[in-house]
């Protein structure tokens, strides 16, 4: 089933990554894939926390330090200028205003003391550790734990790129499929379309979420939606392994066995095997399955989002 996009998908982004000249030195760090490709599908909402709290452009360099048992945001050359509480208050308010927009993802600037997601330098007595998170992004993840968040630099990795974009499209599909006042029928129908996707990413979550959905009528529907959304997005954060994806492909293959002749069966088996061995990308066996689906229609397989998780024009499965 192909996701029908009635509008572009709302996605937050660090302003500098979108090309806005808001960095400390008046520069930017625009990402061509975002500007040239993703902008066709995503409606980006740029944010620069440092500018929006009044630091200005250009501005003194800031960094994270360990201060009295907590991570603080200060000027690098004058640590008495402390932005920690100001940034936390800003982040709290900003994120509250963004939640009604139903953002489906967020791209943050790597290594930034405000926006970095991981590996941000934190200065302390005796040295520097590189396991920090920017204060704004830390608050974003705390308040919206279901939201797909990724760094601009990591989008250069084809596996991380595909995983992030698949999660964004999945969350968008969830919001499009389920009303503001959710119904059990809407959630059950949505979950049914993502069974193979969950099997590929996290078999344990596939079973756990399936059990949740089976008992949906025994819970408060609004609380259920919140818990289901979080469980779904956490499951998809785990990248689909070749082993799990192979199991899904073989499962789908089983639906066609009554219709395929021996030569066709052997060819599809070979493509799946070659994918598992890393000889072929995922796109090849999936394309063959879609070909057989057009010849031998199956309503259950056709609705599975695993076969069409995002527009083919993104070419994301070429590198998987």
């Amino acid at each position: 089933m192909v996701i029908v996009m009635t509008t572009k998908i709302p996605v937050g982004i660090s302003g500098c990554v979108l090309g806005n000249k808001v960095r400390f030195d008046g520069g930017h760090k625009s990402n061509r894939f975002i500007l040239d490709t993703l902008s066709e599908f995503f409606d980006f909402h740029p944010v620069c926390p440092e500018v929006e709290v009044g630091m200005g452009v250009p501005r003194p360099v800031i960094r994270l330090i360990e201060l009295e048992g907590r991570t603080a945001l200060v000027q690098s050359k004058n640590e008495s200028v402390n932005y920690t509480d100001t940034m936390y208050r800003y982040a709290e308010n900003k994120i509250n205003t963004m939640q009604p927009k139903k953002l489906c993802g967020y791209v943050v600037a790597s290594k930034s003391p405000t926006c970095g997601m991981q590996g941000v330098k934190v200065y302390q007595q005796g040295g520097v550790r590189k396991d920090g998170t920017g204060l704004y992004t830390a608050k974003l993840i705390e308040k919206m734990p279901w939201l797909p968040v990724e760094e601009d630099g990591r989008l250069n990795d084809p596996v991380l790129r595909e995983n992030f974009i698949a999660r964004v499209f999945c969350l968008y599909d969830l919001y499009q499929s389920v009303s503001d006042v959710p119904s059990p029928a809407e959630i059950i129908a949505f979950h049914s379309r993502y069974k193979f996707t969950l099997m590929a990413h996290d078999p344990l979550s596939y079973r756990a979420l399936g059990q949740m959905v089976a008992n949906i009528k025994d819970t408060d529907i609004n609380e259920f939606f919140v818990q289901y959304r979080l469980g779904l997005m956490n499951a998809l954060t785990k990248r689909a392994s070749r082993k799990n994806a192979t199991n899904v492909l073989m499962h789908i293959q089983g639906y066609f066995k009554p219709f395929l002749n021996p030569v066709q069966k052997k060819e599809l088996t070979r493509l799946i095997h070659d994918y598992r061995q890393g000889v072929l990308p995922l796109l090849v066996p999936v394309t063959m399955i879609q070909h057989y689906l057009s010849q031998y229609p199956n309503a259950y397989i056709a609705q599975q989002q695993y076969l069409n998780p995002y527009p083919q024009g993104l070419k994301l499965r070429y590198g998987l």
Side-chain angles (χ1 to χ4, degrees):
M1 179 176 177
V2 179
I3 296 175
V4 178
M5 295 180 62
T6 56
T7 60
K8 289 185 178 183
I9 302 175
V11 172
I13 190 169
S14 294
C16 61
V17 176
L18 198 59
N20 297 343
K21 296 181 179 180
V22 292
R23 300 197 75 203
F24 71 95
D25 57 359
H28 62 82
K29 53 181 305 189
S30 61
N31 182 293
R32 297 315 311 177
F33 175 71
I34 289 172
L35 294 175
D36 297 340
T37 303
L38 290 186
S39 59
E40 180 181 348
F41 306 97
F42 293 174
D43 177 22
F44 287 110
H45 296 252
V47 176
C48 178
E50 295 166 30
V51 170
E52 293 192 21
V53 299
M55 292 187 192
V57 180
R59 56 184 174 273
V61 177
I62 57 175
R63 66 182 182 181
L64 298 179
I65 65 170
E66 283 292 333
L67 183 64
E68 298 177 351
R70 67 186 296 219
T71 302
L73 181 67
V74 300
Q75 281 191 11
S76 295
K77 294 184 178 181
N78 184 1
E79 293 183 359
S80 65
V81 181
N82 190 317
Y83 297 103
T84 309
D85 292 336
T86 299
M87 184 57 66
Y88 276 135
R89 285 193 299 269
Y90 161 79
E92 184 87 21
N93 293 332
K94 184 68 175 181
I95 295 164
N96 285 341
T97 64
M98 289 193 302
Q99 291 211 37
K101 298 178 182 178
K102 289 188 175 180
L103 292 184
C104 296
Y106 210 113
V107 181
V108 296
S110 60
K111 301 181 181 180
S112 164
T114 56
C115 295
M117 185 180 74
Q118 61 181 34
V120 179
K121 291 181 179 180
V122 181
Y123 294 81
Q124 56 189 355
Q125 284 188 345
V128 181
R129 57 182 177 86
K130 299 180 180 180
D131 60 355
T133 299
L135 296 197
Y136 174 80
T137 297
K139 181 60 70 173
L140 176 69
I141 293 171
E142 174 192 325
K143 292 184 67 67
M144 302 177 71
W146 64 87
L147 187 69
V149 179
E150 190 53 273
E151 290 186 333
D152 59 324
R154 284 164 51 96
L155 289 178
N156 294 321
D157 182 303
V159 175
L160 298 178
R161 173 189 294 185
E162 190 276 341
N163 180 266
F164 171 69
I165 293 173
R167 285 184 285 144
V168 170
F169 273 91
C170 177
L171 186 55
Y172 175 76
D173 192 9
L174 179 65
Y175 287 151
Q176 293 294 108
S177 302
V178 178
S179 308
D180 290 338
V181 180
S183 72
E186 290 173 335
I187 295 174
I188 291 171
F190 172 87
H191 181 74
S192 179
R193 293 192 288 109
Y194 278 86
K195 285 187 175 180
F196 288 165
T197 300
L198 285 165
M199 286 173 62
H201 283 263
D202 186 5
L204 291 178
S205 292
Y206 162 73
R207 290 189 285 271
L209 289 170
Q211 188 63 37
M212 278 182 61
V213 173
N215 297 315
I216 190 171
K217 295 183 179 179
D218 300 330
T219 62
D220 176 271
I221 192 62
N222 292 305
E223 292 181 2
F224 179 93
F225 177 79
V226 170
Q227 294 172 2
Y228 177 82
R229 177 180 61 183
L230 180 60
L232 172 70
M233 300 316 297
N234 282 344
L236 298 190
T237 300
K238 299 179 181 179
R239 297 186 290 278
S241 67
R242 284 188 180 269
K243 177 182 177 181
N244 289 341
T246 298
N247 289 339
V248 169
L249 294 172
M250 294 177 66
H251 193 83
I252 296 174
Q253 181 186 32
Y255 285 85
F256 294 107
K257 283 187 176 180
F259 309 103
L260 303 183
N261 63 45
V263 174
Q264 291 173 320
K265 290 178 184 178
K266 184 177 180 180
E267 177 65 7
L268 182 54
T269 298
R270 182 186 68 80
L271 295 180
I272 294 172
H273 176 77
D274 284 352
Y275 160 70
R276 180 167 187 169
Q277 297 298 315
V279 176
L280 295 175
L282 178 61
L283 179 67
V284 175
V286 167
T287 300
M288 181 61 76
I289 286 171
Q290 290 172 327
H291 169 68
Y292 287 142
L293 187 60
S294 68
Q295 291 186 315
Y296 313 107
N298 181 291
Y300 179 69
I301 300 300
Q303 73 166 348
Q304 289 302 311
Q305 211 61 44
Y306 181 76
L307 297 177
N308 294 287
Y310 33 69
Q312 291 186 7
L314 288 168
K315 301 178 181 179
L316 297 174
R317 281 179 162 171
Y318 285 69
L320 299 182

